[in-house]
Amino acid sequence: MQQDEVAARVRQVIDATGVSAREFARRIVIDPSKLSRSLNGTRRFTAAELARIADIGGVDVGRLIGATAGATGEVTAGAAATPSTVRSPSPSRSPSPSPEGGRPLQIVRETVRLIAERGFHAVRVADIAAACHTSTAAIHYHFPGRDELLEAAVRWCMDEDTRRRAEATAGTRHAGDELRLLIELQTPRTEQQRRQWCVWLDLWAEAARSTTVGRLHVEYYRQWRGTVADVIRRGVEQGVFRPVDADDAALALTALIDGLASQVLATEPGLPGTGAPAMHDALTAHVDACLTAPVSG
């Protein structure tokens, strides 16, 4: 029963924010399917997830889970609800102003930035806390371990990449134009794109060692290749692309993008023929040579 009550309170928090459940999942940096299962009672919210929900919703964790505070400052809930203890921030400290998007998103964004600059294994929790102008305890309050923090960073990168592509291609009707736009978005031309690619390279290595990150990696590439394949199919229907197997073409093109981007990032900037413009030219030439339908006379 208590688990159902917790789910009902979380639903109230989501309703109060005025956003969809999928958008709320993005803000608390968890898989939307996990949020759905927890709301439906087939999965328990973790203590860290409840902490992030409370932060985004601007409510007290104890009130969220219907718990009472003990002398130690911990709030306890019934065994059927959540993990047995959730530590709230110390009441003796005045809370710092909530950053834009809430503290969890700030932590994840700073984690991604630091990974891009230093590499995942060179980033300490203390570094993230310093970047967020908070304490290491506050970081652990939202993300108890490095594995959970890495998973959140991967998911945030996935969501941001998907959102950016959707915004950039909204309203594009010509499949050839859309495919070239997707290529441009995946080319490490700007500082932001280079930083994002540095994170991806680091996460590829982690995906080879971590089952959780590996699953996210598979999920992301399934979505990314599906997006490219859908554009190619539409281009074939419009007559701007040759009749090709869209899935095979998408696999080849996305692999080419990854390979060329890796070479760009691993090469000293400014060397002739090795930068992002050369990569972009090579990719568009590949599209023209392999996909674009000949103009009928």
Side-chain angles (χ1 to χ4, degrees), residues 9-28:
R9 293 189 188 98
V10 172
R11 285 185 186 277
Q12 291 175 355
V13 171
I14 296 174
D15 291 341
T17 62
V19 300
S20 66
R22 175 169 287 275
E23 171 60 19
F24 192 83
R26 188 190 72 83
R27 294 186 183 185
I28 61 173

Side-chain angles (χ1 to χ4, degrees), residues 241-261:
F241 293 153
R242 304 174 190 272
V244 296
D245 185 297
D247 293 323
D248 287 347
L251 178 62
L253 183 56
T254 54
L256 182 60
I257 290 173
D258 288 346
L260 288 175

Side-chain angles (χ1 to χ4, degrees), residues 1-270:
M1 176 61 70
Q2 179 137 13
Q3 188 171 334
D4 293 338
E5 293 173 355
V6 171
R9 293 189 188 98
V10 172
R11 285 185 186 277
Q12 291 175 355
V13 171
I14 296 174
D15 291 341
T17 62
V19 300
S20 66
R22 175 169 287 275
E23 171 60 19
F24 192 83
R26 188 190 72 83
R27 294 186 183 185
I28 61 173
V29 207
I30 69 168
D31 185 340
S33 67
K34 286 185 178 179
L35 176 61
S36 177
R37 293 199 305 274
S38 297
L39 291 174
N40 292 332
T42 58
R43 174 186 178 273
R44 294 180 180 179
F45 286 104
T46 69
E49 288 166 357
L50 288 170
R52 300 201 290 272
I53 291 167
D55 183 275
I56 295 297
V59 299
D60 180 74
V61 177
R63 182 178 177 184
L64 186 64
I65 64 175
T68 56
T72 62
E74 293 181 339
V75 279
T76 60
T82 64
S84 60
T85 59
V86 181
R87 182 177 294 278
S88 297
S90 171
S92 63
R93 294 180 57 186
S94 57
S96 58
S98 181
E100 182 181 356
R103 181 70 70 190
L105 274 181
Q106 181 199 31
I107 292 170
V108 172
R109 285 194 295 263
E110 290 300 325
T111 299
V112 169
R113 181 182 66 80
L114 290 170
I115 290 174
E117 292 177 359
R118 309 178 190 179
F120 175 70
H121 289 287
V123 177
R124 303 171 303 160
V125 173
D127 299 326
I128 300 169
C132 295
H133 304 288
T134 189
S135 65
T136 56
I139 305 297
H140 289 304
Y141 174 67
H142 292 292
F143 302 98
R146 285 172 61 90
D147 287 346
E148 187 174 4
L149 190 51
L150 176 61
E151 180 182 351
V154 176
R155 183 161 296 285
W156 184 82
C157 287
M158 289 169 52
D159 290 344
E160 284 296 294
D161 207 34
T162 303
R163 180 188 60 79
R164 190 164 52 247
R165 287 201 304 265
E167 289 179 354
T169 59
T172 305
R173 294 288 180 264
H174 190 280
D177 292 342
E178 184 171 354
L179 187 57
R180 288 177 175 82
L181 183 55
L182 288 174
I183 290 172
E184 184 175 343
L185 290 172
Q186 293 299 114
T187 306
R189 302 167 73 96
T190 67
E191 188 59 35
Q192 160 114 11
Q193 288 170 322
R194 289 185 65 88
R195 192 161 53 240
Q196 181 94 355
W197 268 103
C198 285
V199 173
W200 281 126
L201 290 179
D202 220 43
L203 296 180
W204 282 348
E206 289 303 310
R209 305 182 183 96
S210 167
T211 302
T212 299
V213 177
R215 283 197 298 265
L216 288 173
H217 184 268
V218 170
E219 176 187 337
Y220 171 78
Y221 269 90
R222 183 185 297 117
Q223 294 174 358
W224 167 225
R225 284 193 292 264
T227 297
V228 175
D230 288 343
V231 175
I232 293 174
R233 287 190 191 93
R234 194 160 63 252
V236 172
E237 293 172 358
Q238 292 175 355
V240 297
F241 293 153
R242 304 174 190 272
V244 296
D245 185 297
D247 293 323
D248 287 347
L251 178 62
L253 183 56
T254 54
L256 182 60
I257 290 173
D258 288 346
L260 288 175
S262 300
Q263 291 182 43
V264 169
L265 293 171
T267 306
E268 181 182 351

